Structure formats: structure tokens, C-alpha cells
Amino acid sequence: MNRYFYYSFIMVAMLNLMLYVPSVLLEERMTGAVSSLLVAIGLGTLTAYAVTSAMARYPGLGVPEILRLYLPEWIVKTLLSLFAFVFFFASSFALVGYTLLLNRVLTPDLPAWNLLLVLGLICIYGSTRSSMTLLFLMEMTMVLTIPVILFILFKGIRSPDVAWNAIYTIAQYVTVRPTLTSVAAGTFIFTGYINLAIFNRLNPPNFRLKGRWLIPLLGSGILLTTFFLPIGYHGTMAVDRYMYVWTQTADSMTMSFGFIERVLFLFLLVYLALTLLYTSIGWHQAIEFIHSLRKDRKFEVDSTETPASSWWIGSIFFALSVASMFFLDEKLTLAVAEIWLTFRMFIEQGAAALLFLLSFKRPPDAAKEAAHDSA
Amino acid sequence: MIRLDAPRRPSLPLRAFSRRLAALLLAAALLLQATGCGFIDIDKRFFVVALSVDKSGNDKKPYRITIRLSIPNSKTEPGMEKSQIETIDAKEISEGLRILKSRVDKEIDLGHCKVLLLGEQLARDDISDAVEWMMRRRDIQSSAFVAVGQPDGRRILEQMPLSERYSGNTLFLTFGGDATKSSFIRPIKLFDLFRRINEHGMDPYLPIVSLTKNGYEVDRLALLDKTRIRAVLGPDETQLFNQLDQQYINSTIKTSFEDRTVMLAVMDLTVREKIRRAGAGQGTLDLSIHAGGTLEEGPNDILHRHAAVVEASFERDLAAKTEALLRKIQRSGVDPLQFGLRFRATHRSKQAFEEWQEMYPTLKFQVRTDVDIQGAGRIK
């Protein structure tokens, strides 16, 4: 089970490289982003440690079940709806953002919503599978994509085109005070642990998460690359002029002896897989949260029959995403992203603190029984 | 698939079945729709292999855009390639390209355009609009090579080199570094040009392509401020530039000994720089160069009898040439060797760039060289 946690962690960290995190950070590169990165690494690691320790006390239980152990029903219901919304929004936003990007770079002649229809249908199918299936799906996708992404990153770092002087120049702005937006953007890299919210249900009773030192290591590695590599490629000034800075960075690399010379297409293909996976998993968890609003509902991690309600909720998510396409454009998306990143950091830190505090309480006997039931 | 002899499985409920059917139909409909528009077959496309932007001399239509279109050929033999050249004068570059589309029968595709040329006149005037346009077009590769065409870009594109196996390949190979590796060629990619145009403390340069009988000659380098050419480096200076900036090995350095030229093929090269600021507007650049290599030309028995003298002579000449090059670059008021960025990277000050700008015009250079003759080839 250990590896599934790290797949999910790496998936979220790597996905953010393509999304809005670099744009937000690079915009503030001289006004506090560098020190914010350090704060974000500390804060992100701390939250990840807190949540993983808290969840480790309740193997076999997801967040809805844990909350029910301690809190009155109306608080549980409010929190669950909030979490469902957050999961839905995060993943739909990633899907819509990627669709806009793909539309800009790969298929400019196609209307963007048209592309979203195809991608969204795949996500509906993915999100209505059982939790167990999704974990397997995650393993397969990550095993296929991680080598390619690492290849692109190492190729980028080793290239003589990187202006290290530009990187050192920006690194000197570490003395500027950190800002809220940048810290929020930075901590998003570490958000992978949040998928334990539902997937903790699959953990066996005596589960212990090993190798947690990987969290700060992987997280800061990816975060620093996300921020500094584009600066190396595009300098201290031009880096802010690009709409999609990482796509641009991938396009600046070439593979002379690859089957495809332009790294860009490899990059887009890999991120297509990652986005579909991320959205499927996000929607799936939102669906599960909505399901658990009903107190008497028994969750199933490996169901053979998909409940009709899953299809309905998935379709509603899909419809909302398509509808958002009609008023979202690239400019508005970036503005929404900034607010969203900050908003989600508070929700996440709050949820993490709550879970951590709850885990100090002695779990009532019901918890142990529930854990045994599901195991 | 229906197998009549198969045992009947309990049939799906009708609702579930119809739902599946509906989903399938929906997916099929979407897929058809998705491929319907925006897709043009490869034999209905014209691939642009190189593009040039010149000045036309006409004030109403200042830009002259030339594209070289590759015509597919069943044989790939040297000299058998065919190209079509299209030229147009227009007020804006993008408008010109759109009008060009109406002159050819297939859709113009810029995705394989790997060489972008700027005419010399344009480069001496202002390149920023042309580069901005190239960068903004999503289908032009950011890793395409940019160069100055002399006398203009159009004539470079019209040249059909004898050995070309497919259209535009000679230029791709010249700049790509996979085929010829020459210390006189200094390619620059589009994203790098854009970075240098925007950067504080790093100025752009462009290689100059000119015509020869059978092909092209690329051995000079144009140095630009943010918008136009300020100086042109000759072949020897271009090589030295390559050595200083990229520590380019497989290059040569030259000196003379007893009225004979002595050439050293450089096999290892280290260049270190340090900028010291002495006060407002004053500073020194320390450059230390270590070069080692084997002799390619020289007098008899050089290794045993004259090595020390020749090395000293190399060191003296290299230092003198380097300082002359640095002074020339400094006089032109440009900074392609990114000393300014280096200064910003090593000096913790909010006004680092302003300090640099103040001190660069009077910056002193101290060049220290250390040349090591490691061998003399097959003759002693």
C-alpha cells in the first residue's frame, strides 16, 4: 500500500508543474516567491506528516467515517459537502485548464468545449470505477509516465541552454518577505497526501506508511525544478511573458535522436495521461464524499456493480465543467486560479489540523469495530 | 458478438443495457465530430522548411516575407530535392502570410520550419517586431534556429545547395551540430534570442549566413543591442567568442614562432570570470583562460626544444586577442557574453543592474592565460 501513497503524491506534484503553480510563482519571482518556496516546503511537509500520522490511526476508514466518530451529524454533513466541492473543483479546474492548453497548442482549429467533451467522457468513466480499480489505474499510469517526465526534467537540467546565472540572480531574492499567494501555490505541490481522504479505506488494519522522508525530498525537488528551470531557460525577464511557461520550456528542448524531435509533444502526451488520471481520481473522491452524506450508506471499495447515482453525479460534474467552458478563458482562468490556490490552502490546512487533533482523542470502540468490519 | 450455442447468461436489465447503448452512441458521435474539423491530411499540407523576413524598401508594405516550401519527392538523392519559393510584400508579417496562403493550393504548415532568417537590412534596423511575431505564433518551434541573411533572407532561401537531400536540410545541418561541428558557427535558437532580447545583462547575437557558389557560408556573428546590429565579428573573432562563451573545444588558437604560424588544436578549455566593483562606475573583469591541446602546424622538433617559448607566445597572443575582442564588444555597447547577468548573479544588491550599466563602459579587463601544449601530433 505504501507505493500507492507515493504514486498519488508524485502525481499531484508533477501535475502542478503544468498547471497554474509556476505562473503564480514566476509572477512574484522578485517579490517574494523564493522565500515563499522555503516556507511552502516546511509547511507542506508538516501538513503531510500530520495528515499521514492522523490517518494511520484509522486504517480502513475514510475521512467521512472518521468525522462521524466524533462530530455531530450537521457538522459532518457541512464538512463533507465542502470537501466534495473542493475535490470536484480542483480536478475539474485541472481538466478545463489542460483542455485550454491543449486547444491552444495542439488543436487550435477545434472549439475548446469539443475537446472537453471527449476528455470529460473518459473522466466520467474513470471516476465511476471502484476505489480499488482507480488505485490500479493510478499505478499503471504512473509507472508509464514517471520515466518520461524524469527524462524531460533531467534533459532540461543538463542542457547547455540553461543560463545558471539567471537562476542564481533570482535565488538572491530569497531575502524578500514571503507572500500568501506564493506560499499557497507552493504548498499545492505537497497536496498529494490528500487523496488518503478516501483511499485510506483501502489500507489494511496494521498499515504503517514507510519512507515519509521521501515527502520533503520529492516535494522540494519538484517544486524547485518547477520554479527555477523555466528561469534558466527564459531568463529573469522573459519568463514572465509566457502564457504557459512549462509548455514553452518543453518546446525549447529538442531530442535530436528521438522519434519525435520536439519534446513538446511528448510532454503534452504525458500530461494528457496525468490530467485524465487526476480528474478521474478527484471526481471519484467527490462522488464518494457525496455518497457518504447519507449516514447509513455502507461504502464499498471494490464493488462489481457501479451504483446509478455515481453515473448521475459524474454526469453533473461533467456538465458543470462543460458549462464553465463557455465563460472561462485564459485570462479569467489565471485570476480564478490565484484565488483558488489561496482558498484551498486554508481549507486544507484547516482539515489537516482538525484531523490531527481528532487523532489525539482516544478512538471509541466503534472505530475499532468499523476497522475490523471493513478489513 | 452473439454466439447462439453459448449458454444464455442472465440478461442485463433493460435499463442498464439502454444506458450502455446510449453512452456508446454518444461517444461515437463525439469522436466523429472531433475528427471532422481541424484535421487536414498530410498530402493537403505544404510544409514550410525555412522562412525569411526582409525589408522591402516600400514604406506602405515594409515587410517582405519569403517562405521555402518543401515539395515531397519519391527519391531522396542529393540534389534531387525540389522546393517552391513564395514571396510577398506586406504591411504586417501575419497579414503577409495569410495572403500567401491564397497563392498556394495546400494548407501552409509552419510546424517543420526550423530556420528563420532575418534580412540584413531588417537586422540593422529593428528586429523586435519580427521576433515577437515568431514567438507569438504557436506553431513555430521555439527551438528553431535564427540567423541573419546576407545580402537578404530571400536570396539565401532561393539558393539550392548541390548536396541537399531534402529541402532546407543544409541549413538545418549547419546549425544543428549533428553533422558539421565547426568552431566558427554559432547558432542561436528562437527562445534564446527572445530571452536575450528581454534579459537585463545579456544581449542577443545572430550568426550571419551568406552565399557561396554551392551553398552557404556561416562564419561571422552579428552582435545586437536589444533591437539592431551594433557590431559584426569576423571569423577569427567568432571562434574566439565561441571559445570564451561556450568553452568550445575542437577549435584552434594561433601564434607565430620564427616567422612560421603555429596552430594549436584546443582539446580542453576552461574560462573563469570574476567581476570586481571598485566603486561607483569603476570595476575590473578578471578573465582566466586555460587552454590545452595538440599542435597542428609548427616548426620542426617544436615539442622538445621550443615548447616553453611557444607556450609563452601562445599565452601572449591569446591574451591580446581576447582583450581586443572584449574591448570591441564593450565599445559597441553590447553584452552578449552575459557579464551583466554574471554581475547580477554574484552581487547581492537591489541596484546590481544599474551599477553594472554604470560601470560597463569603463570596465577594465585583466586577461590571464595559461596554454599547455600537450602533444605535437605525429611529428615531434
Side-chain angles (χ1 to χ4, degrees), chain A residues 228-295:
Chain A
F228 281 115
L229 196 59
I231 293 176
Y233 265 89
H234 306 300
T236 58
M237 306 308 291
V239 73
D240 195 24
R241 296 196 59 192
Y242 293 115
M243 193 68 217
Y244 299 108
V245 69
W246 259 96
T247 317
Q248 186 58 41
T249 307
D251 195 27
S252 306
M253 304 174 197
T254 45
M255 299 182 283
S256 315
F257 303 108
F259 293 106
I260 320 165
E261 200 184 36
R262 292 175 79 175
V263 176
L264 173 70
F265 293 111
L266 195 65
F267 179 83
L268 286 180
L269 210 66
V270 167
Y271 273 90
L272 176 67
L274 272 190
T275 313
L276 289 179
L277 177 70
Y278 178 74
T279 309
S280 300
I281 288 182
W283 281 5
H284 172 76
Q285 294 186 78
I287 290 173
E288 287 297 322
F289 272 121
I290 293 176
H291 277 165
S292 8
L293 281 177
R294 275 176 53 197
K295 199 178 173 185

Side-chain angles (χ1 to χ4, degrees), chain B residues 188-379:
Chain B
I188 187 169
K189 291 175 179 171
L190 180 58
F191 80 90
D192 194 9
L193 180 64
F194 190 68
R195 156 170 78 184
R196 286 167 182 269
I197 286 176
N198 285 287
E199 187 64 293
H200 292 167
M202 183 152 95
D203 288 338
Y205 58 81
L206 287 169
I208 298 179
V209 185
S210 54
L211 296 171
T212 61
K213 192 158 164 281
N214 286 332
Y216 311 105
E217 184 176 69
V218 191
D219 57 3
R220 282 166 305 146
L221 199 64
L223 304 182
L224 294 85
D225 60 9
K226 301 299 180 192
T227 51
R228 63 194 177 93
I229 297 184
R230 300 304 293 259
V232 174
L233 302 184
D236 286 344
E237 289 169 324
T238 305
Q239 176 170 250
L240 187 55
F241 183 90
N242 253 340
Q243 288 169 332
L244 292 181
D245 189 28
Q246 299 247 297
Q247 328 212 329
Y248 199 100
I249 57 166
N250 293 326
S251 53
T252 58
I253 55 176
K254 220 188 319 194
T255 186
S256 62
F257 176 70
E258 291 175 350
D259 298 330
R260 275 201 63 166
T261 312
V262 187
M263 294 279 255
L264 183 80
V266 179
M267 300 312 285
D268 76 88
L269 185 64
T270 338
V271 181
R272 288 213 176 80
E273 65 207 31
K274 194 176 167 91
I275 304 165
R276 280 176 295 140
R277 183 169 180 268
Q282 288 178 331
T284 328
L285 172 74
D286 287 322
L287 202 69
S288 77
I289 307 173
H290 169 83
T294 53
L295 289 171
E296 284 202 334
E297 271 180 53
N300 210 0
D301 217 3
I302 186 168
L303 199 59
H304 296 305
R305 285 171 50 200
H306 313 298
V309 190
V310 176
E311 274 178 5
S313 168
F314 266 127
E315 284 165 9
R316 209 167 41 241
D317 278 13
L318 183 61
K321 275 181 196 156
T322 308
E323 197 171 334
L325 177 66
L326 293 178
R327 289 227 176 284
K328 180 178 179 177
I329 294 175
Q330 185 188 31
R331 267 201 311 279
S332 321
V334 294
D335 182 16
L337 288 165
Q338 46 173 301
F339 294 137
L341 194 62
R342 176 80 187 173
F343 183 77
R344 286 175 69 199
T346 47
H347 287 76
R348 278 188 52 180
S349 160
K350 285 275 171 303
Q351 281 86 39
F353 185 58
E354 286 75 20
E355 287 172 11
W356 166 254
Q357 280 177 315
E358 202 184 348
M359 92 195 204
Y360 185 49
T362 58
L363 191 70
K364 292 190 190 69
F365 299 107
Q366 283 187 349
V367 184
R368 271 180 299 145
T369 50
D370 169 32
V371 177
D372 177 24
I373 300 176
Q374 292 165 342
R378 286 199 293 195
I379 311 174

